[in-house]
Amino acid sequence: MRAGTTEEDGRIALIQSDIWIGFPRAEQVLDRLQGMIEAPRQTRMPGLLVHGASGIGKTMIARNLSRKYAPEYDPASGITRTPLLLLQAPPAPDERRFYLHILAAVGAPATALSARAQNVASLEVRVIALLRDLGLRMIMIDEVHNLLAGTHREQRRFLNVLRYLSNELEVSLVCLGVSEAVDAIRGDIQLARRLDEHHLPNWRDDAEFSDMIQTLIAAMPLEKKSNLKVKSLKQILALTGGVTSRIFALIKDLSIDAIVTGDECIADDAIAKWTPVWSRHANAHRRLEMTGL
């Protein structure tokens, strides 16, 4: 192992940062979302439910779109235009908590409001007024499967809130979550009818997966080209279960090792020896249990 340099440290920091890789399945969702946000206002705006396994890339897509439609200050009106509002669903389907979360997200926290002004009805009026002034075009709710933590009645009320906001503001509604949330969304027939479904499957052993790996490795700041065998691609798939976040973690980990060791490429033997990050702590924990510590 060689001593690190400023240049190497910079490359490692780049690898450790969020990296957007525009592989086709992600770009397909982005194109669809962009078409929705640019669509003219209408009585019933289009909506979308993006679902798939945890770590498959839903949040990555949502954040990429939110950067494209970041808030912009309009000096003429003195108003910050916010075409897209990206929120994370509360841990449980709580209307009041959700409205407070929206106020905080748009820079209007309710801490200065009286207790009476913080009831659900008052918060609803305040949120609608503020969001209408922002020129909102789309509301994205990430981790929407959190609503499963509530009772059936609480889930229905929360879904009613989402549908109401979409109707009242004439904005597109986009929900992102694990596939288990699909049944909950379908429990509200009116909302389910306006939310098209887009499933993001785990990666499989096919040309699309091979292309994605090549694109991801090419994005790593390594000095040499990595020529992986088909066997290594199959091993990557087996190690990660075809989950995007785990694939990224594997390639990033091996890329950093390649810089530190001076190999400057990801080799087949490095993949063969690699231990999944998500299993290392589990193995250590099992060893502690065996020693009685």
Side-chain angles (χ1 to χ4, degrees), residues 70-82 133-135:
E72 292 185 358
Y73 178 72
D74 182 2
S77 63
I79 296 175
T80 298
R81 298 294 179 184
T82 307
D133 289 340
L134 294 178

Side-chain angles (χ1 to χ4, degrees), residues 41-281:
R41 294 189 187 276
Q42 49 190 294
T43 303
R44 178 168 293 185
M45 295 292 288
L48 187 65
L49 170 62
V50 182
H51 61 94
S54 178
I56 203 63
K58 303 179 295 295
T59 299
M60 179 176 62
I61 292 171
R63 289 178 178 173
N64 183 272
L65 187 71
S66 68
R67 285 192 289 268
K68 288 184 178 181
Y69 292 92
E72 292 185 358
Y73 178 72
D74 182 2
S77 63
I79 296 175
T80 298
R81 298 294 179 184
T82 307
L84 170 62
L85 183 60
L86 174 58
L87 304 165
Q88 181 172 310
D94 184 322
E95 299 165 73
R96 180 177 179 277
R97 190 171 184 173
F98 184 57
Y99 283 134
L100 290 173
H101 186 35
I102 291 176
L103 291 176
V106 299
T111 52
L113 299 178
S114 65
R116 177 178 296 181
Q118 292 193 38
N119 62 50
V120 172
S122 299
L123 289 173
E124 177 186 288
V125 172
R126 181 172 173 80
V127 163
I128 290 294
L130 282 172
L131 295 186
R132 185 171 283 126
D133 289 340
L134 294 178
L136 198 64
R137 307 285 302 182
M138 176 181 287
I139 297 177
M140 297 188 75
I141 313 296
D142 197 9
E143 307 287 345
V144 74
H145 49 264
N146 286 348
L147 64 88
L148 296 173
T151 64
H152 179 69
R153 183 169 180 270
E154 289 170 336
Q155 292 177 29
R156 291 296 299 273
R157 291 183 64 176
F158 188 77
L159 293 174
N160 283 340
V161 169
L162 298 183
R163 190 174 69 251
Y164 171 74
L165 289 175
S166 177
N167 289 341
E168 189 68 17
L169 297 168
E170 294 184 344
V171 298
S172 293
L173 175 65
V174 177
C175 296
L176 306 101
V178 298
S179 296
E180 287 80 358
V182 175
D183 291 336
I185 295 291
R186 290 173 179 169
D188 186 309
I189 297 177
Q190 291 183 328
L191 184 60
R193 285 175 177 170
R194 69 178 57 186
L195 292 183
D196 291 337
E197 296 180 16
H198 188 107
H199 177 59
L200 287 173
N202 288 24
W203 295 92
R204 298 181 298 176
D205 184 11
D206 54 19
E208 184 185 22
F209 174 68
S210 177
D211 291 343
M212 188 272 287
I213 292 296
Q214 293 179 39
T215 302
L216 178 57
I217 293 177
M220 298 294 108
L222 300 175
E223 295 178 356
K224 299 178 182 178
K225 186 176 180 180
S226 302
N227 296 307
L228 298 179
K229 297 178 180 178
V230 173
K231 181 180 178 180
S232 293
L233 296 181
K234 292 180 181 294
Q235 191 159 9
I236 291 173
L237 197 61
L239 287 167
T240 62
V243 176
T244 307
S245 62
R246 291 183 172 186
I247 295 170
F248 273 52
L250 183 153
I251 297 299
K252 286 186 173 188
D253 202 19
L254 291 177
S255 296
I256 291 173
D257 284 346
I259 292 175
V260 172
T261 60
D263 292 337
E264 292 295 344
C265 69
I266 299 176
D268 293 298
D269 60 343
I271 294 175
K273 298 175 184 177
W274 190 79
T275 303
V277 177
W278 44 90
S279 69
R280 294 173 192 171
H281 298 299

